Amino acid sequence: MALIPLASARRRVLAQCQPLRARAVPLEEALGCVTSVELRADADVPPFPNTAVDGFAVRTADVRHVPVRLPVVGTIAAGAPPEPPVGPGEAVRILTGAPMPEGADAVVMIEDTDAWDGRSGREAVGTAGVTSVEIRKVVGAGDNVRGAGDDIRAGQVVFEPGTVLGPGHLGVLASLGMRRVPVHPRARVGVLSTGDELVDGPEELRPGQIRDSNRRMLLGLLADSNAEPVDLGLARDDAGVVRDALTSGLDRCDAVLTSGGVSVGDFDFVKIVLDDLADGAMQWMQIAIRPAKPFAFGTVGGKPVFGLPGNPVSSMVSFELLARPALRSMMGHTRPDRPQVIAVADEPLRRRPDGKLHLVRVQADWSDDDGRFHIRSSGGQASHLLRAMALANALALLPDGDGVAAGEEVRVMLLSWGR
C-alpha cells in the first residue's frame, strides 16, 4: 500500500467530522466548550454606580480645599440600599462595592482621611459610630467610582461564536445572570481495547500476555482534550464480542477509538467487524510518518471511528495528529491543533532519509536568556517505549533527511507546555 502524506490523511478525516449539534448546557459545565452563537448582555455590568474602595462618598465641591472636616451622616455597606443621600457639606462612609448615594460624585479613599473622632483613618477602620472625618486629599468627579456599565453595556456582544470558554468567560456570563450557555457540546468518545493477550489490572501475567496501557492512556488524552471519555472495556478476540462492544459504543457515543489491528496484513477481528459495520467504507491508511504509520478511519451511522496503531507511542502520536484535531473540530474548535513553535535543538536529532516525517519525542523548555524554546530528546524513540513519550512535552517534526544538528532550528508541536 502506498504511503500518503499526513496532510492528505488529515483532510480525509476532518472532512467527515463536522461540529456536533449545538445545545444549551449549564454554566458550570461549559468550561472549555465553544460558543455556538453570539452572546449578548441584557443588562449593564455593574448594574449601578458603586465604590471601588473603602472610604467616604462626598460632593467634589466640598473638598476643593483640604484639609476639610465634614460630618458623617451614615454608612453604606455592600448589598445595602444607597442611603442616606449626601447633602452639601456632608460625607457618607462607604465600603467597597456599595452603591453610590444620591448627591455624591466621588469617593475619598480611607487612606486619604484622618482624625475620625480623635483616631486616624487606619485606626478607625471597622468603627461603626463615626461622626466626622477630615479629608486630606482633593478628588475629582468620578474618582474611585465604578460607573454602571463600565464593564459591559446592555445589548453589547460579549462573546462571538467560536469563543472557547475559559474561567474568565464563565465569570462574565455569571455576572450577566446566565444559567445555561449555547455551545457545541463535549464529544462523548468511547475507547475499546481488544485482544486475548491484554490484561487489565494487577493480576499475574501468563506467558504472552501484556497489560492494557492504551485504553487508560487514550481515556486520559480524551479528558485532556475536553471530550467526555467513555470506557468501553476490553473485548476478547471474538467477532461477536467485538461487534457487540463496538455497536454498544456507537449507540452511546459520538465517536469511538480502537487501538491495534490496523496494519497492512493484520488479520484482526476489529478490522473485520469495522469493515462490515462501515459497509466497506473504512479507510486503512499507511501515512508517511514515523511513528504511527498505520491508521484507519471511517464512519458508522455518521459517527467517526478511529483505528489507532497498537504500539502505545504510535497510538498516542496518531491520536495527537489525527483523532484529537478531528474531535476538537466536532466540538466547535476552529483551531483544533496543538500549537507549533520554532525551537533550538540543544543536541543532535539524527534520522535517516526514508520518505517520512519523523516525530521525535522531546522535552521543550523556555529560555529567558534568548527568548526561545530549546529541546532535547526525552529518551528512546522506539514505538513501544511509552515512558519516553510520557516524559515528552513536545514532538519535534523532522522532515525527510538526516535530521538536525545541535544549535539548529526545528519545528515543534507543544503537547503539554505550561501544565
Side-chain angles (χ1 to χ4, degrees):
M1 182 182 292
L3 297 180
I4 65 173
L6 175 61
S8 297
R10 283 171 51 87
R11 282 195 296 271
R12 293 186 191 182
V13 172
L14 292 173
Q16 298 182 68
C17 294
Q18 300 304 310
L20 297 171
R21 180 178 298 178
R23 67 169 183 260
V25 303
L27 182 62
E28 60 270 20
E29 297 177 10
L31 182 65
C33 293
V34 180
T35 57
S36 57
V37 297
E38 68 179 18
L39 302 180
R40 286 184 179 270
D42 59 3
D44 288 342
V45 178
F48 51 81
N50 65 92
T51 175
V53 298
D54 288 344
F56 292 86
V58 298
R59 294 172 179 248
T60 52
D62 295 330
V63 295
R64 289 176 181 164
H65 306 287
V66 294
V68 61
R69 181 174 292 278
L70 301 174
V72 177
V73 297
T75 297
I76 305 175
E83 299 170 354
V86 177
E90 294 178 341
V92 164
R93 190 173 174 218
I94 193 166
L95 305 181
T96 302
M100 288 293 291
E102 183 181 349
D105 59 359
V107 174
V108 181
M109 293 178 64
I110 198 169
E111 292 86 350
D112 297 323
T113 67
D114 213 344
W116 303 7
D117 301 331
R119 289 161 292 200
S120 71
R122 291 192 180 278
E123 290 172 339
V125 171
T127 301
V130 177
T131 59
S132 67
V133 63
E134 183 177 282
I135 306 297
R136 294 187 284 104
K137 182 179 180 180
V138 173
V139 291
D143 282 1
N144 301 315
V145 176
R146 299 182 288 214
D150 265 3
D151 187 8
I152 300 169
R153 291 286 184 184
Q156 176 184 342
V157 175
V158 289
F159 301 125
E160 298 286 350
T163 300
V164 182
L165 296 175
H169 300 89
L170 301 191
V172 168
L173 299 179
S175 74
L176 292 167
M178 293 189 67
R179 300 295 298 273
R180 300 181 69 83
V181 192
V183 297
H184 297 286
R186 292 179 179 84
R188 284 175 51 85
V189 186
V191 178
L192 177 67
S193 285
T194 63
D196 291 339
E197 77 280 11
L198 297 178
V199 171
D200 189 14
E203 57 264 31
E204 185 177 350
L205 297 178
R206 299 195 303 270
Q209 290 186 322
I210 60 173
R211 302 193 196 282
D212 179 18
S213 59
N214 285 8
R215 193 165 99 258
R216 303 299 175 189
M217 176 183 71
L218 292 170
L219 289 167
L221 286 168
L222 288 168
D224 186 63
S225 304
N226 202 43
E228 183 181 341
V230 179
D231 188 355
L232 301 181
L234 241 176
R236 69 179 190 273
D237 283 331
D238 178 279
V241 173
V242 172
R243 173 181 286 275
D244 288 346
L246 284 171
T247 302
S248 173
L250 288 163
D251 285 343
R252 293 187 284 148
C253 300
D254 301 304
V256 168
L257 298 176
T258 69
S259 60
V262 296
S263 296
V264 173
D266 275 351
F267 185 79
D268 187 275
F269 291 108
V270 173
K271 179 176 287 188
I272 296 170
V273 171
L274 282 179
D275 267 333
D276 184 44
L277 291 176
D279 294 325
M282 287 294 295
Q283 301 178 61
W284 305 93
M285 310 178 206
Q286 295 286 297
I287 305 174
I289 57 177
R290 182 177 180 182
K293 180 177 71 171
F295 175 75
F297 177 77
T299 60
V300 177
K303 296 182 178 182
V305 179
F306 303 87
L308 309 183
N311 277 321
V313 173
S314 296
S315 187
M316 195 168 181
V317 170
S318 187
F319 177 90
E320 290 289 350
L321 297 181
L322 294 153
R324 184 181 188 274
L327 294 170
R328 299 273 286 178
S329 294
M330 291 172 64
M331 295 187 287
H333 291 265
T334 56
R335 301 180 65 180
D337 292 299
R338 300 279 195 185
Q340 295 186 14
V341 299
I342 300 298
V344 179
D346 285 348
E347 63 184 17
L349 298 176
R350 294 302 183 192
R351 54 157 296 173
R352 295 178 180 177
D354 60 2
K356 301 172 189 171
L357 172 70
H358 283 207
L359 298 120
V360 178
R361 281 74 78 197
V362 296
Q363 293 177 329
D365 290 296
W366 177 261
S367 171
D368 289 331
D369 293 336
D370 61 3
R372 307 188 71 181
F373 280 100
H374 288 250
I375 60 169
R376 302 181 70 87
S377 171
S378 64
Q381 297 296 308
S383 60
H384 66 290
L385 301 178
L386 185 54
R387 181 174 179 273
M389 183 73 198
L391 293 174
N393 64 357
L395 296 173
L397 282 61
L398 299 186
D400 196 22
D402 298 316
V404 297
E408 290 186 340
E409 293 182 341
V410 60
R411 181 169 291 278
V412 169
M413 175 187 291
L414 299 177
L415 299 179
S416 58
W417 175 254
R419 180 178 302 160

